[in-house]
Amino acid sequence: MDFGTFCKMVILMVPSIMITAVAGSKYDCEGHLASSLPPASFSSSSELSSSDSAGFARLNRRDGAGGWSPLISNKYQWLQIDLGERNEITAIATQGKYGSSDWVSSYLLMFSDTGRNWKQYHQEESISAFIGNTNADSVVQHKLQKHIIARFMRFIPLDWNPNGRIGMRIEIYGCTYRSDIVYLDGKSSILYRFQQKSMITMKDVISLKFKTLQSDGILLHGEGQNGDFIMLELRKGRLSLIIHLGNVEFHPSNPRVNVSLGSLLDDQQWHWAVIERFGRQVNFTVDRHVHHFYMKGDIDYLDIDYELSFGGIPSQGKATSLLQNNFHGCFENLYYNGVNIIDLAKRYKPQINIVGNVSFTCLEPQVVPVTFVNSNSYLILPDISQQNELSVRFHFRTWNREGSLFSTKLGTLSHHFVLHIVEGKLKISLFKHGKMYLDIISGFKVNNGQWHAVSLVVKRNHVSVTMDNDESLTMQATLPFQVSSVENYYFGGCPDNNTHYWGMNPIRGFLGCMKLISIGGKMVDLILVQQGVLGNFSDLQIDVCGIMDRCFPNYCEHGGECSQTWNDFYCNCSDTGYMGATCHYSIYEQSCEAYKHKGNTSGLYFVDADGSGPLEPFSVFCNMTDIAISVINHNNMELNKVKNSNRENPHSANFKYTADAGQLEATILNAEYCKQELAYHCKKSRILHKQSHIPFSWWVGRTNETQFYWTGSSSNVKKCSCGLEGNCVEAELYCNCDADKNEWSNDTGFLTSKDHLPVMQIVITDTDRVHSEAAYKVGPLLCWGDRSFWNSVSFTTVSSYLHFPTLQGELSADISFFFKTTSPSGLFLENLGIKDFIRIELQSPTEVVFSFDVGNGPIEVIMQSPTHLNDNQWHYVRAERNVKESSLQVDLLPQKTYISPFDGHIRLQLNSQLFIGGTASRQKGFLGCIRSLKLNGVPLDLEERAKMTPDIKPGCPGHCSSYGSLCHNGGKCIEKYNGFSCDCKYSAYTGSFCKKEISASFGAGSSLTYNFQENYNTSNNYSLPASSLSTDSTTRENIAFSFRTTQTPSLLFILNSANKEYISIILTKNGSLQIRYKLDRDLDPDVFSINLKNLADGNLHRIKILRKEETLFVEVNQYATVKFLLTSDIDLTATQSLMLGKISAENNGLDLETIKAGTAGFIGCLSSMHFNHVFPLKDIFFHDKLTRVTIKGQITGSNCGSLNGVDSALSEKTHSFADHSKPKDEDPIVDSIKSDSAVIWGVISVVVFILLFVSAIAVKIHLQKNAYKNKEAKGSKNEDKTERVTTLKTEISMQNAIDESQKEYFF
């Protein structure tokens, strides 16, 4: 950029800065505007007498009857003030009539520029009523948060003293308002021409006010020869800003931006728009609603040629389509970078070119709208045409899907004609005594809040209804009679005393606005209706359209789709990953740690790292070991070989993770620890120069900073693992690769700095010499230890409390935490405002109360628990408040919900500190522990704050009392400072919760023998509760296992003693289960048969056996326990061995059936086996010392013991005890291939399964695409988000399907 261009930009910035300073300066605008006005400036709907006229309604005046009173006190009365010119109004005040019982307790405030087309003032989004007086003489003043610019003000009483009448005295405060205005007729425009050929600006500020009745039109347009473009356009009542910097052909990374803001802007009321651009940062404001966005690309300036056009696109040479309408309406205070465009136009300055006819006053069309405010609203008009045909035209707008627009009685046979909205579409119906004779519906949606024109003509027996003056949208029908004269027309509904009119057809009344009603070609004067001269009505607001867009601003969060009716809005949270009335609260946990402690095992999960914050959920693999590890993969997980790279031509690889930058950062910050493996294999390829230690290779982390260390967390130490440990191949080197040898070596380490992780890029520059090459591998990002999940404090006195900054939750807030206590009551948290507050407390041992006040009065949401909550167990509490509802959940109890009023205050305004566990003023605080406290998904560091607060201790012991039940199958809960773990030492299972079965596949002829210590007695140890069958001191044997086989006979289990006594469990020839007890060598064995069915059916079966003295309890597959009696209750002593599978025929002392089964052995699956405290399968797969175990044949680890592991061939993996050591100098690529070859054939079957699965998904997606390919896209952002969520769900479904056949084993 040259110096001249820079100077131009600086000059352009100065005026806008000056204007900002003036606008921001303080000025006096609190003058009395009404007190000095003549009586003629006051008017009213009616007056009780001449002494009660509107002219006596000045504040603090006692003349006349002491104020204004209407003839009749009802909701249709009003008091109006003409200020003579437009003023800025900052406050209002009211009194009752002097010395009387007449006053108004609440009222509405309307304003207008012309005394027509009034607009209702709203204090908040849905609060319109002002609080009035409680007596006749006190003054109640309201300062207006949003100042009004208007000439006419109107007060409409809503409620008054029930023992008196309506009575008012008023004052209006403000100051004179000056502005520049121009009127454009829809064919004209104003061109502002630059002094030079083009205007290059780094900063732009464009501001204006506008009013119009048209829903479409160009407000601003400018473009340049280089492709720069800016346009402000009204589209369907919304304002769209389209902006582009540079030529998209030469700068494809600079996309055109199209942002829409505002709603219902075609209401002939003033609206304010501001565009502020500084480089690529843009603030777009419409009526106090601001949209901030940052434009992509590398260009910061806007280059516009010749001119800017306001009101249209007059130049035929412009590339933009000329199909857009010109703006038809008024502009006020139009500024471009500090230049007053209207002032220049008024003074006919040469920079301005006026196209067409303009006027420097705002010409207001005299259109009188009418609002149907509730289901009781109606308008009755007589037939003023005096014709033998029906011809009615009108415009309407609504959000409702149902409602009657127009109806009348036709003919002499009591036929009733109805034009109404059904499911959002226009419909004509003909009824007689409740029976439908005619029913035609259009295919055009009309409940979109836009103005729609309807033309209804009934001539003789022909009906024609045309929408929006479009003949293609015409409905026609033939009546069974001729139409004569019509007496009355009903708009919007009918009076209660005319309910017989509808017969048996319940049609809802219309809620919305109408205007331009004509009958027989004659326009109806609705002011005469208001004055009671023409027709009749009920519950109407005449000369005002009170429609509101309740979806703007959109309170549906996280991409929830907003829909609305006249009084309310609704959020569709489908496919967002969030729930609640406004899609605020995430349905997913914030970490793998949270999933683990809900009892989940390893697998793919959606994680929402910031809870209800702006980040989307994303898919993470949670590896549930003793710790819960989040595994985040990237797009380049393989070993990559590099050649021919140098400093001039470096090899660079970028890594894209399954989480975006924000999700990665949130995950890392939430974790206690993170690490990532970085492996560099080298052959004459150095990492650092030997002498200077200048790097040849490096990596770039999350913060875009280049890093030169290759292990650990210190960026100041340029070393690899061997350099830190002092065991490099050469002592003076920092890395093995720096030895620069012509053989393969490697430097592998774990990066652990959370500030730098993960690796986003790796750069290699030393592989261009002879025989030089390298290979690298970057592992997944691994994070564990949720910093917030176990963050807890203990409150030891009722007077102790923690305090934090004010809760930020004006429109929506969620609070969640765990607590445990023995106290019957106590305060969890409280935050106060001037009047508003929010509080959660334990009110009694069984009652949690969530209370708040946003200005509508205190509200309590109470949760009653069927059990006591002060049981010293952890309990979960979640409270949420949003603009639609407030909810409270405790543990897994059904949620309690309070629905907010649609017309109430919605903003929670707090200003005090947030107090936890008590407050400085309350006497009764909380005694106990609070853990994992989160506000809007953001955790509070309770422990850190407790370290500096007396009587509060960081941490809270006793997690096993609440979470011990998560340790299954005899696992023991081990207490930790931050959480707990399950010790599976005395369990036949493994895994983080002792739920993962240990299974083995036995091949033909295979066997396992477990040898006991000498003098082992089966009654020595019964530490493991095998099942629901309870154990005690009388227990002798406790046996449990699962099996799967198709072979008969089969030996499942045999226990031998040195005294030739034994216990055997076999499957007989017919597949029935037999248990054979021989406790006396001189007697035959006791034989007990379970003849449920053939158990050799290939399905998984679970056996549990428990002996207490002479009684034997047997349970098979959860069936009822069967009880048997033995002939003896003696112990099985001198136990020698436990054998599984095939046994030799030389085992003397066994009965014939056991020998037959033992000779056949066992082919199939045995799983989760234990005998008392012995776990033979666990010993062979998880213990290094196998001196007690003898294995013959092929026994392999498997997941065959899983209920889902039907086809174990898909997942079985042979484990070998052989040494896998290899030479260090082997080629890492070849090495990788070798290490993989051992499992290739096992993987092939899995791959085939996956391909079939993916093919099925692809076919389904293809069919869905064909079904929807002709549908119009609703919005790229929502589409992308839906696609991402759907894709993640598909991934999870696929992974779960695969996981059923894949298990992990450890040696």
Side-chain angles (χ1 to χ4, degrees):
M1 184 183 301
D2 60 23
F3 180 78
T5 303
F6 176 79
C7 290
K8 286 184 217 171
M9 290 192 297
V10 172
I11 291 170
L12 283 170
M13 292 180 193
V14 173
S16 60
I17 296 170
M18 292 174 63
I19 286 174
T20 304
V22 172
S25 61
K26 295 182 179 179
Y27 59 98
D28 181 16
C29 195
E30 298 179 352
H32 294 247
L33 300 180
S35 58
S36 59
L37 293 173
S41 298
F42 293 78
S43 58
S44 62
S45 53
S46 65
E47 55 191 44
L48 183 60
S49 68
S50 58
S51 299
D52 297 277
S53 66
F56 298 111
R58 296 182 187 86
L59 198 73
N60 294 322
R61 296 289 291 272
R62 303 182 182 184
D63 44 349
W68 165 73
S69 282
L71 179 62
I72 301 172
S73 292
N74 62 26
K75 56 189 174 183
Y76 301 115
Q77 307 302 323
W78 45 263
L79 172 66
Q80 180 175 310
I81 300 91
D82 179 1
L83 299 174
E85 60 181 350
R86 292 174 75 203
N87 283 266
E88 181 175 357
I89 298 155
T90 60
I92 55 175
T94 60
Q95 275 179 307
K97 278 176 65 177
Y98 173 71
S100 72
S101 58
D102 304 335
W103 61 81
V104 171
S105 54
S106 70
Y107 59 91
L108 299 178
L109 185 64
M110 303 278 191
F111 59 94
S112 168
D113 282 352
T114 63
R116 289 285 181 267
N117 190 33
W118 296 85
K119 184 171 184 177
Q120 186 170 305
Y121 182 86
H122 290 270
Q123 301 176 71
E124 282 186 20
E125 286 84 348
S126 55
I127 301 296
S128 53
F130 284 85
I131 297 173
N133 301 90
T134 56
N135 55 52
D137 295 316
S138 3
V139 176
V140 176
Q141 186 184 72
H142 292 279
K143 290 188 180 295
L144 303 181
Q145 187 176 10
K146 296 177 287 185
H147 294 182
I148 296 172
I149 309 296
R151 173 180 171 179
F152 294 89
M153 301 291 292
R154 182 176 282 188
F155 295 79
I156 300 177
L158 294 176
D159 297 292
W160 47 90
N161 180 17
N163 299 317
R165 309 175 61 87
I166 292 175
M168 290 191 82
R169 290 176 285 172
I170 62 94
E171 181 57 276
I172 299 171
Y173 304 91
C175 57
T176 302
Y177 178 76
R178 295 284 182 263
S179 65
D180 294 301
I181 292 177
V182 65
Y183 169 77
L184 306 177
D185 62 3
K187 300 177 182 178
S188 53
S189 60
I190 297 176
L191 307 182
Y192 172 61
R193 289 182 172 168
F194 309 136
Q195 294 179 356
Q196 58 276 0
K197 183 178 179 180
S198 67
M199 180 68 73
I200 300 175
T201 58
M202 183 70 73
K203 175 181 178 181
D204 290 300
V205 179
I206 305 171
S207 64
L208 71 151
K209 294 178 73 174
F210 68 93
K211 69 186 316 186
T212 182
L213 280 174
Q214 305 303 314
S215 60
D216 300 279
I218 300 290
L219 280 72
L220 162 70
H221 175 268
E223 60 182 273
Q225 292 181 355
N226 294 326
D228 296 73
F229 184 87
I230 185 169
M231 185 164 71
L232 190 62
E233 182 182 12
L234 199 59
R235 295 179 182 175
K236 295 186 177 181
R238 291 174 60 85
L239 208 54
S240 293
L241 171 63
I242 304 132
I243 186 169
H244 179 252
L245 305 180
N247 192 323
V248 71
E249 244 182 79
F250 299 106
H251 302 277
S253 62
N254 297 13
R256 178 171 289 187
V257 177
N258 189 335
V259 175
S260 293
L261 206 56
S263 181
L264 308 175
L265 302 178
D266 54 346
D267 58 355
Q268 195 58 22
Q269 303 291 342
W270 286 110
H271 297 282
W272 179 46
V274 180
I275 304 166
E276 300 169 287
R277 183 189 67 85
F278 188 85
R280 284 173 281 162
Q281 179 69 46
V282 181
N283 297 333
F284 180 35
T285 305
V286 177
D287 292 340
R288 295 173 177 261
H289 300 287
V290 183
H291 185 88
H292 307 278
F293 62 92
Y294 190 80
M295 302 178 65
K296 295 181 180 179
D298 53 3
I299 295 180
D300 296 322
Y301 56 86
L302 179 66
D303 185 0
I304 299 296
D305 290 343
Y306 302 112
E307 63 192 16
L308 276 177
S309 174
F310 300 94
I313 312 175
S315 175
Q316 296 298 319
K318 298 293 182 183
T320 306
S321 170
L322 301 180
L323 297 178
Q324 288 103 330
N325 297 325
N326 277 22
F327 176 75
H328 186 182
C330 302
F331 285 144
E332 180 181 54
N333 293 344
L334 173 57
Y335 284 88
Y336 167 68
N337 288 336
V339 178
N340 187 336
I341 302 297
I342 299 176
D343 179 65
L344 293 180
K346 287 165 68 175
R347 296 189 287 128
Y348 299 98
K349 290 295 183 179
Q351 305 99 301
I352 299 296
N353 181 27
I354 297 177
V355 179
N357 297 318
V358 303
S359 172
F360 295 105
T361 59
C362 191
L363 304 181
E364 302 268 3
Q366 296 300 309
V367 176
V368 179
V370 58
T371 304
F372 296 77
V373 296
N374 58 49
S375 57
N376 299 318
S377 301
Y378 64 85
L379 170 63
I380 304 175
L381 294 174
D383 182 8
I384 59 177
S385 66
Q386 304 299 319
Q387 299 174 2
N388 287 330
E389 66 177 44
L390 188 157
S391 177
V392 174
R393 290 176 172 81
F394 59 91
H395 291 67
F396 72 91
R397 72 191 316 174
T398 185
W399 300 112
N400 283 22
R401 290 168 50 85
E402 315 284 338
S404 172
L405 293 170
F406 170 84
S407 58
T408 190
K409 180 180 176 181
L410 297 178
T412 58
L413 300 175
S414 299
H415 287 89
H416 298 109
F417 179 86
V418 184
L419 178 64
H420 53 132
I421 302 172
V422 177
E423 295 182 355
K425 299 177 181 180
L426 202 63
K427 185 176 183 180
I428 53 177
S429 301
L430 185 67
F431 299 93
K432 182 179 180 182
H433 303 306
K435 184 178 180 181
M436 184 177 292
Y437 278 77
L438 179 67
D439 189 36
I440 301 175
I441 190 167
S442 73
F444 185 69
K445 287 281 187 179
V446 296
N447 65 324
N448 56 4
Q450 301 294 310
W451 282 111
H452 295 284
V454 176
S455 175
L456 168 64
V457 177
V458 183
K459 191 172 184 179
R460 297 186 181 91
N461 67 337
H462 181 75
V463 179
S464 174
V465 178
T466 302
M467 281 288 300
D468 294 333
N469 301 314
D470 187 344
E471 294 298 329
S472 66
L473 300 176
T474 299
M475 295 184 291
Q476 300 190 38
T478 301
L479 301 176
F481 55 86
Q482 297 283 333
V483 174
S484 57
S485 61
V486 176
E487 182 178 352
N488 286 320
Y489 298 117
Y490 292 80
F491 294 86
C494 66
D496 290 340
N497 59 5
N498 276 14
T499 52
H500 66 279
Y501 169 81
W502 299 109
M504 298 179 64
N505 183 56
I507 297 179
R508 297 180 183 177
F510 172 72
L511 296 178
C513 299
M514 290 187 185
K515 67 177 182 180
L516 300 174
I517 300 174
S518 68
I519 298 175
K522 297 180 181 179
M523 194 64 63
V524 175
D525 188 347
L526 293 173
I527 298 301
L528 295 179
V529 175
Q530 184 183 41
Q531 295 170 349
V533 177
L534 179 66
N536 192 11
F537 69 92
S538 175
D539 291 304
L540 296 184
Q541 289 182 343
I542 296 177
D543 209 6
V544 59
C545 179
I547 191 171
M548 295 177 60
D549 189 343
R550 298 184 183 276
C551 286
F552 180 78
N554 186 1
Y555 295 119
C556 301
E557 301 179 51
H558 301 110
E561 184 178 346
C562 182
S563 61
Q564 62 185 306
T565 62
W566 183 259
N567 292 324
D568 207 352
F569 74 93
Y570 308 93
C571 297
N572 182 359
C573 304
S574 301
D575 297 324
T576 65
Y578 297 84
M579 62 181 177
T582 59
C583 313
H584 174 77
Y585 194 78
S586 180
I587 63 176
Y588 304 112
E589 299 296 335
Q590 287 188 244
S591 67
C592 290
E593 184 89 8
Y595 277 115
K596 176 183 175 181
H597 291 94
K598 291 180 71 175
N600 297 86
T601 56
S602 297
L604 272 175
Y605 294 93
F606 279 110
V607 167
D608 197 331
D610 69 339
S612 55
L615 297 178
E616 295 180 5
F618 61 100
S619 179
V620 169
F621 184 82
C622 295
N623 188 13
M624 306 299 193
T625 60
D626 284 344
I627 55 176
I629 303 175
S630 300
V631 182
I632 303 178
N633 293 320
H634 54 77
N635 62 334
N636 193 359
M637 302 285 292
E638 304 301 322
L639 190 66
N640 299 275
K641 208 163 189 177
V642 181
K643 288 185 177 182
N644 304 319
S645 68
N646 53 44
R647 292 189 183 277
E648 289 72 33
N649 183 32
H651 172 86
S652 176
N654 295 306
F655 302 93
K656 185 177 181 181
Y657 290 80
T658 54
D660 64 28
Q663 294 163 343
L664 284 171
E665 183 174 14
T667 301
I668 292 169
L669 292 178
N670 287 348
E672 289 281 0
Y673 308 100
C674 290
K675 70 177 182 179
Q676 188 171 20
E677 187 177 38
L678 179 56
Y680 188 79
H681 300 266
C682 52
K683 183 179 179 184
K684 287 190 68 63
S685 176
R686 296 158 293 178
I687 293 177
L688 299 168
H689 191 277
K690 283 186 178 182
Q691 285 77 33
S692 65
H693 302 300
I694 295 175
F696 287 103
S697 299
W698 57 86
W699 57 274
V700 179
R702 184 180 81 251
T703 57
N704 207 31
E705 296 177 350
T706 301
Q707 305 297 336
F708 304 108
Y709 68 98
W710 290 78
T711 191
S713 62
S714 176
S715 60
N716 297 323
V717 180
K718 299 178 184 177
K719 292 185 179 182
C720 301
S721 294
C722 69
L724 291 177
E725 297 168 3
N727 58 3
C728 294
V729 292
E730 295 181 12
E732 72 276 6
L733 298 180
Y734 289 174
C735 298
N736 287 322
C737 290
D738 296 345
D740 205 20
K741 294 185 177 181
N742 191 19
E743 60 185 28
W744 282 103
S745 183
N746 79 87
D747 284 293
T748 300
F750 279 96
L751 306 173
T752 58
S753 172
K754 289 172 54 181
D755 293 335
H756 302 151
L757 291 176
V759 176
M760 305 301 293
Q761 183 187 51
I762 190 168
V763 179
I764 296 172
T765 68
D766 187 29
T767 60
D768 65 339
R769 295 175 293 158
V770 178
H771 303 305
S772 177
E773 55 183 322
Y776 63 88
K777 184 174 183 180
V778 178
L781 175 66
L782 308 176
C783 292
W784 66 96
D786 188 330
R787 297 179 62 194
S788 64
F789 192 78
W790 297 107
N791 190 294
S792 59
V793 291
S794 303
F795 296 87
T796 58
T797 67
V798 294
S799 60
S800 58
Y801 60 85
L802 296 175
H803 58 85
F804 289 88
T806 306
L807 169 65
Q808 301 300 313
E810 190 174 54
L811 295 174
S812 62
D814 67 89
I815 304 167
S816 63
F817 59 91
F818 293 86
F819 78 92
K820 69 173 183 173
T821 184
T822 56
S823 180
S825 63
L827 178 72
F828 294 128
L829 62 85
E830 180 181 86
N831 207 156
L832 305 178
I834 297 174
K835 293 182 178 178
D836 296 359
F837 72 88
I838 189 168
R839 183 183 301 122
I840 305 176
E841 58 188 319
L842 182 67
Q843 196 158 275
S844 74
T846 59
E847 194 172 78
V848 176
V849 178
F850 171 38
S851 55
F852 59 90
D853 188 352
V854 296
N856 305 315
I859 299 297
E860 287 189 343
V861 184
I862 302 174
M863 175 66 76
Q864 293 279 356
S865 172
T867 59
H868 281 209
L869 300 172
N870 60 336
D871 56 358
N872 206 30
Q873 303 286 313
W874 284 117
H875 296 282
Y876 178 67
V877 175
R878 182 179 71 83
E880 179 185 345
R881 192 207 75 85
N882 55 57
V883 298
K884 281 188 66 70
E885 67 180 25
S886 301
S887 61
L888 176 64
Q889 178 139 30
V890 176
D891 294 330
L892 297 178
L893 297 173
Q895 179 177 282
K896 288 295 180 70
T897 302
Y898 165 79
I899 305 300
S900 304
F902 70 86
D903 57 351
H905 292 276
I906 62 174
R907 297 183 181 275
L908 178 65
Q909 298 176 336
L910 306 173
N911 55 23
S912 75
Q913 290 182 314
L914 171 68
F915 289 93
I916 309 296
T919 69
S921 58
R922 289 172 66 103
Q923 297 298 316
K924 182 67 173 174
F926 174 73
L927 281 174
C929 299
I930 293 178
R931 173 170 70 84
S932 189
L933 175 59
K934 297 178 182 178
L935 310 179
N936 294 319
V938 179
L940 296 185
D941 195 341
L942 301 175
E943 294 184 354
E944 193 63 32
R945 187 59 61 94
K947 292 175 183 177
M948 58 187 75
T949 308
D951 298 324
I952 301 178
K953 298 178 180 178
C956 182
H959 300 305
C960 280
S961 62
S962 296
Y963 296 109
S965 60
L966 291 178
C967 298
H968 296 270
N969 300 306
K972 181 181 178 182
C973 184
I974 305 298
E975 190 77 29
K976 293 183 176 180
Y977 176 77
N978 281 342
F980 71 98
S981 65
C982 295
D983 182 358
C984 305
K985 179 180 179 181
Y986 296 108
S987 172
Y989 293 74
T990 186
S992 54
F993 299 111
C994 309
K995 291 176 65 176
K996 186 175 181 181
E997 77 284 343
I998 302 173
S999 307
S1001 282
F1002 283 70
S1006 61
S1007 67
L1008 182 154
T1009 302
Y1010 181 94
N1011 299 300
F1012 290 92
Q1013 301 175 19
E1014 294 183 9
N1015 301 319
Y1016 177 82
N1017 189 319
T1018 61
S1019 62
N1020 284 346
N1021 193 322
Y1022 307 104
S1023 60
L1024 179 71
S1027 67
S1028 56
L1029 306 177
S1030 60
T1031 61
D1032 54 32
S1033 60
T1034 64
T1035 299
R1036 298 297 185 262
E1037 292 88 37
N1038 187 343
I1039 305 169
F1041 62 92
S1042 299
F1043 73 90
R1044 186 196 301 270
T1045 189
T1046 57
Q1047 173 187 292
T1048 60
S1050 286
L1051 178 66
L1052 300 177
F1053 172 97
I1054 186 167
L1055 185 71
N1056 286 319
S1057 78
N1059 301 323
K1060 296 188 178 181
E1061 299 158 351
Y1062 63 89
I1063 303 169
S1064 67
I1065 305 172
I1066 66 173
L1067 290 182
T1068 63
K1069 187 67 177 176
N1070 65 1
S1072 64
L1073 180 71
Q1074 272 193 4
I1075 303 168
R1076 311 175 80 86
Y1077 258 84
K1078 186 172 183 178
L1079 299 178
D1080 189 331
R1081 60 186 299 173
D1082 298 323
L1083 298 177
D1084 291 334
D1086 293 330
V1087 180
F1088 308 103
S1089 296
I1090 310 293
N1091 297 307
L1092 292 172
K1093 63 173 185 176
N1094 180 6
L1095 298 181
D1097 57 1
N1099 294 320
L1100 189 70
H1101 301 287
R1102 182 71 175 162
I1103 308 297
K1104 300 176 183 178
I1105 300 171
L1106 180 71
R1107 179 167 76 100
K1108 294 187 175 183
E1109 297 179 339
E1110 75 276 9
T1111 305
L1112 190 68
F1113 300 89
V1114 181
E1115 181 183 299
V1116 179
N1117 293 341
Q1118 307 296 326
Y1119 289 109
T1121 302
V1122 182
K1123 185 168 65 173
F1124 300 98
L1125 289 178
L1126 296 165
T1127 56
S1128 173
D1129 65 347
I1130 63 175
D1131 291 342
L1132 184 66
T1133 59
T1135 306
Q1136 278 188 324
S1137 62
L1138 182 159
M1139 291 181 286
L1140 309 175
K1142 183 179 178 65
I1143 61 174
S1144 62
E1146 292 80 30
N1147 278 280
N1148 296 327
L1150 301 179
D1151 64 90
L1152 182 60
E1153 291 299 319
T1154 300
I1155 292 174
K1156 287 180 180 179
T1159 303
F1162 177 79
I1163 301 174
C1165 168
L1166 288 175
S1167 176
S1168 305
M1169 174 170 285
H1170 79 79
F1171 163 66
N1172 291 355
H1173 65 286
V1174 175
F1175 315 103
L1177 299 181
K1178 193 173 187 179
D1179 281 346
I1180 65 170
F1181 291 127
F1182 288 86
H1183 292 166
D1184 294 333
K1185 296 182 179 179
L1186 303 176
T1187 55
R1188 295 183 180 276
V1189 179
T1190 303
I1191 297 175
K1192 295 181 180 179
Q1194 184 179 12
I1195 300 177
T1196 59
S1198 171
N1199 75 336
C1200 58
S1202 167
L1203 287 173
N1204 300 311
V1206 176
D1207 187 3
S1208 61
L1210 285 176
S1211 61
E1212 287 184 13
K1213 183 177 179 181
T1214 302
H1215 296 275
S1216 171
F1217 295 91
D1219 182 14
H1220 286 284
S1221 60
K1222 53 188 175 293
K1224 289 186 177 180
D1225 58 351
E1226 195 169 331
D1227 187 329
I1229 302 293
V1230 176
D1231 177 53
S1232 178
I1233 294 172
K1234 285 184 177 180
S1235 64
D1236 289 342
S1237 62
V1239 294
I1240 284 176
W1241 291 106
V1243 170
I1244 286 175
S1245 57
V1246 178
V1247 171
V1248 170
F1249 171 76
I1250 294 173
L1251 289 175
L1252 291 172
F1253 190 84
V1254 171
S1255 299
I1257 293 174
V1259 170
K1260 185 175 180 181
I1261 292 173
H1262 176 72
L1263 293 174
Q1264 288 176 339
K1265 285 184 176 179
N1266 287 339
Y1268 290 95
K1269 65 182 179 180
N1270 294 321
K1271 289 192 176 181
E1272 184 177 355
K1274 293 183 178 179
S1276 61
K1277 182 176 180 181
N1278 289 339
E1279 276 188 354
D1280 291 345
K1281 180 170 183 179
T1282 303
E1283 184 177 350
R1284 284 195 296 273
V1285 172
T1286 305
T1287 302
L1288 288 176
K1289 287 182 178 178
T1290 303
E1291 288 178 6
I1292 286 180
S1293 299
M1294 186 185 300
Q1295 181 66 39
N1296 288 342
I1298 297 169
D1299 285 347
E1300 299 300 344
S1301 60
Q1302 289 182 328
K1303 293 291 176 179
E1304 193 172 11
Y1305 291 90
F1306 305 90
F1307 284 86

